[in-house]
Amino acid sequence: LRAAEGDYVIHDFHFASGESLPELRIHYTTFGKPTRDAHGRVDNAVLLLHGTGGSGHSLINEHFSGVLFGPGQLLDSRRYYLILPDGIGHGHSSKPSDGLHARFPQYTYGDMVSAQHALLVDDLKVDHLRLVAGTSMGCMHTFMWGETYPEFADALLPLACLPVQISGRNRVWRSLIMEAIRKDPEWQQGEYKSEPMGALRAAADLLLIAGSAPLQMQIALPTRDAADEFVDKFMERQLPELDANDLLYALNASRDYDPSPGLEKIKVPLLQINSADDFINPPELGIAEREIKRISGARFVLLPISDKTHGHGTHTWAEVWQQYLAQLLKASQ
């Protein structure tokens, strides 16, 4: 698979907070080429949106792109134009750690979706999407796409989220990380010279639990010693990848997310998929089943726990849910 990468600089970008940046850089990765129908409209573009703290590259792996993008696969890059942007504050897009630190604008999910739209329309000249699919934060962005730009995409595939404001335990674990960063004396209001390691350890702890799957962990770590050794290795790997300001902003960006009041605005086929072992979106809440009824023709699938599911991260294991993507693509032709 050959990828192309680029940067689109949006001049004088205005954020919902009232702040602005003279230049906002949005990095993106693409596979394939756009094609146009008889009316000149792009008819094969697919927007793929990543999760909190990730980037477009988080979806380029054997479990996601390896199952979907190859010859004869559901999102065959010879047939589709696949677009994977890095959200504001993530990957190689503009983010606090570039230098503005805590003076970076307090972006929201609304700002992120608006920048994605600008990338498509103004830079890539994509005026229509065959599909928007997103994982976790990208799942939430997918609901927002359906409401904000109801005619733009033919189909929506939100993976691993809920279409209501982030509250309950989901908000609590995020707040715990944000508090750990803000209360760490080494954070220094965002002007730290070296990372506040106490805060980052607390953050990594919570991120590990939130993304974990009990069955997978029991299989992989069947003894006490194996579990202890895993924690040490996880911290060695995870801590160097975290930046306190970037993480604080990324978690705080969800503060105004709430597509619930506008779900009836979604007019195209939508298929939402969660997994039953997801700590972040636990099935016992019943929220997805309740809210999906408000979207005309939409479906919700809850994947049962198995040795194939991976907790919240099941969103990236396409083999587990690709049969439902096939149904969605067929239903939205």
Side-chain angles (χ1 to χ4, degrees), residues 29-266:
T29 306
T30 61
F31 294 86
K33 295 275 187 287
T35 58
R36 295 180 186 274
D37 64 17
H39 305 286
R41 189 172 79 157
V42 173
D43 59 5
N44 71 333
V46 174
L47 182 64
L48 298 165
L49 303 171
H50 64 79
T52 306
S55 68
H57 279 226
S58 335
L59 300 176
I60 303 171
N61 60 59
E62 60 183 309
H63 307 299
F64 192 89
S65 60
V67 172
L68 296 175
F69 294 6
Q73 293 175 337
L74 286 175
L75 299 178
D76 185 337
S77 62
R78 298 172 306 175
R79 182 178 172 195
Y80 290 105
Y81 181 42
L82 308 172
I83 304 160
L84 297 83
D86 294 356
I88 296 172
H90 290 70
H92 294 295
S93 292
S94 296
K95 55 187 186 288
S97 62
D98 291 343
L100 282 178
H101 306 151
R103 298 187 310 283
F104 193 85
Q106 292 286 340
Y107 66 88
T108 64
Y109 281 4
D111 297 319
M112 298 174 88
V113 168
S114 149
Q116 292 158 7
H117 183 263
L119 166 69
L120 294 183
V121 174
D122 300 333
D123 187 48
L124 300 178
K125 308 303 178 197
V126 169
D127 52 4
H128 188 75
L129 290 167
R130 177 69 184 87
L131 172 73
V132 181
T135 63
S136 191
M137 175 178 74
C139 172
M140 295 186 262
H141 289 177
T142 302
F143 277 107
M144 294 173 71
W145 263 92
E147 291 185 11
T148 313
Y149 310 104
E151 305 296 323
F152 205 92
D154 292 334
L156 304 169
L157 181 74
L159 298 155
C161 72
L162 294 171
V164 295
Q165 66 173 253
I166 295 176
S167 57
R169 188 177 69 184
N170 193 2
R171 177 64 186 179
V172 167
W173 74 263
R174 293 162 190 267
S175 295
L176 287 168
I177 294 178
M178 292 191 283
E179 280 295 283
I181 294 170
R182 290 182 182 128
K183 295 278 169 65
D184 190 321
E186 291 181 20
W187 181 58
Q188 297 176 5
Q189 303 299 116
E191 292 304 323
Y192 47 86
K193 297 291 178 273
S194 59
E195 294 286 345
M197 293 313 290
L200 289 189
R201 280 199 180 85
D205 291 345
L206 284 157
L207 290 167
L208 171 58
I209 293 300
S212 65
L215 182 58
Q216 289 290 349
M217 278 197 162
Q218 198 62 38
I219 293 167
L221 311 171
T223 65
R224 184 181 58 222
D225 291 346
D228 290 351
E229 187 183 337
F230 168 78
V231 169
D232 292 340
K233 285 190 174 152
F234 173 82
M235 284 298 178
E236 272 174 36
R237 194 174 66 245
Q238 186 75 15
L239 287 173
E241 293 180 2
L242 293 176
D243 175 82
N245 284 332
D246 289 349
L247 181 58
L248 176 60
Y249 270 76
L251 288 169
N252 199 31
S254 65
R255 65 192 176 278
D256 70 338
Y257 169 73
D258 187 7
S260 173
L263 288 173
E264 284 83 2
K265 294 178 185 167
I266 296 174

